[in-house]
Amino acid sequence: MNRGGNIFAGMVITVLLVSIFLSGCGSSSTSGGKESKELNVFNWTEYIPEVTIKKFEEEYDVKVNYSMFSSNEEMLAKVAAGGGIYDLTMASDYIVPAMVERDMIEPINLENISNFDNLLDDYIDQDFDSGNKYSVPFMGNTLSLAVNPDSIGVDVSEIKSYTDLWNPELKNKLVVLDDQRMIIGMILKSLGYSANDTDPKHLEEAKKKMVELLPNIKAFDSDSPKQMMVNGEASGGLVWGPEIALAQREGGNFETIIPEEGLLITMDNWVIPKGAKNKDLAEKFINFILEPEISAEIAQHQPYINPNKEARKLIDEEILNNIAIYPPEEEIERLEYIKDIGESIQLYDRVWSEAKGSQ
């Protein structure tokens, strides 16, 4: 999954693109005072198993038109162009304020979401959406580091910091996220700065250091980096923690390393696009997803950080104890969230494009 960075770049969408998506998502109208029988959900790839969607359809006698995106940019552009076509979508925490500012999402009626009470206090009423007026937490993940001790070519005990990724012995061995906020954020942390730093001088330092890292990067991949880890193409991964867990599940021999600088974290949240035609049904879907059994089922299939305290009682201990997914208790206070940096995102865009363009 790509939760990339140039947030509102490319939001000028042609009329043709709008018509394609209008024709592809099905009817979502309401007539005669009866609830629509269709719900248009727009979500990340590989985030909700099909069996969960089927259960909601059967319980509420509705059809879910489920479409997927692979980057925040794609989601934002299509929601902006959709004119209410989507009833529900997903937004990373640092994107919610920007969507509110641009009047892109509707307030959520928490009275219709009784299962909101199942959420842990640590994940609600956050600075990006005080009182959860516009968003409801779904799942999250950290930017995590893992290496295959059999093929990495260096002693794993020597890899303790982000700075160790610049070791020339790791040439062409790493798969990293194609996500500018996360990768530039990691580099900033390796320099001793905040992952949300907006000082132009610090970002210029980060650009130079990213160029120096490029020889060690075999591929940028946010959609399914675990594949390169499992098939042996990559000996190390700076990727979403759940991708490491899934690689381990599929037989990859990878050890997770907690960098000395601390982990970066981001949470994804349900939001209702402005003009959604089936807002009530969208809130029913959110409430359904927060049912402990349903939430746990999703976490078993896609092992992301689950903020649902009742669901955690039903999740396998093997998942809950995997530090690629759930950081150790002593790391919690050191977690750094990616935040909305406003217009400074343009600096990140430039650093990212210039560094990658130097290859």
Side-chain angles (χ1 to χ4, degrees), residues 327-359:
E329 190 65 32
E330 63 271 18
E331 292 295 323
I332 300 299
E333 291 186 4
R334 299 203 308 143
L335 292 172
E336 184 172 7
Y337 279 83
I338 297 297
K339 297 180 180 179
D340 177 26
I341 55 173
E343 294 303 316
S344 293
I345 190 61
Q346 295 175 17
L347 294 173
Y348 279 67
D349 292 344
R350 180 179 59 78
V351 165
W352 186 249
S353 60
E354 290 180 1
K356 290 185 75 175
S358 70
Q359 286 180 302

Side-chain angles (χ1 to χ4, degrees), residues 108 110 113-126 128 131-132 135-140 267-270 286-287 289-292 295 305-312:
I108 292 177
L110 294 182
I113 305 175
S114 59
N115 287 322
F116 186 85
D117 292 340
N118 292 337
L119 292 167
L120 289 160
D121 291 342
D122 290 345
Y123 300 99
I124 61 176
D125 196 25
Q126 298 295 300
F128 68 86
N132 291 93
S135 65
V136 173
F138 175 54
M139 292 198 295
M267 292 295 295
D268 285 324
N269 307 269
W270 293 110
I286 296 172
N287 195 57
I289 293 297
L290 290 176
E291 288 282 351
S295 182
I305 297 172
N306 191 316
N308 189 321
K309 60 178 177 288
E310 297 304 320
R312 286 195 185 185

Side-chain angles (χ1 to χ4, degrees), residues 147-288:
V147 297
N148 185 331
D150 296 331
S151 61
I152 195 65
V154 298
D155 187 338
V156 173
S157 66
E158 296 178 0
I159 303 176
K160 301 177 181 179
S161 164
Y162 289 128
T163 59
D164 294 321
L165 297 177
W166 277 260
N167 186 332
E169 295 297 322
L170 302 185
K171 184 177 180 180
N172 207 37
K173 291 185 177 182
L174 304 176
V175 58
V176 306
L177 294 179
D178 192 11
D179 184 310
Q180 70 179 46
R181 288 303 308 275
M182 283 292 177
I183 299 305
I184 295 176
M186 176 278 293
I187 295 172
L188 286 167
K189 287 182 77 68
S190 78
L191 291 166
Y193 306 131
S194 165
N196 298 292
D197 199 320
T198 58
D199 186 317
K201 292 182 179 179
H202 296 169
L203 285 166
E204 189 65 23
E205 285 183 63
K207 182 180 77 172
K208 293 177 180 178
K209 196 162 185 181
M210 179 173 168
V211 171
E212 294 170 1
L213 182 63
L214 291 178
N216 289 1
I217 298 176
K218 186 176 184 67
F220 290 90
D221 185 355
S222 290
D223 288 324
S224 190
K226 68 177 182 291
Q227 294 303 325
M228 293 188 69
M229 298 167 69
V230 172
N231 64 25
E233 291 182 77
S235 298
L238 187 66
V239 298
W240 304 119
E243 287 287 306
I244 296 171
L246 290 170
Q248 293 168 338
R249 184 182 290 181
E250 293 178 24
N253 181 27
F254 282 87
E255 296 181 15
T256 305
I257 297 170
I258 305 293
E260 293 174 342
E261 298 90 343
L263 295 164
L264 295 176
I265 185 173
T266 183
M267 292 295 295
D268 285 324
N269 307 269
W270 293 110
V271 295
I272 298 177
K274 195 73 173 181
K277 299 177 178 63
N278 299 300
K279 185 172 183 290
D280 289 346
L281 189 56
E283 290 171 345
K284 283 185 172 64
F285 186 85
I286 296 172
N287 195 57
F288 176 81

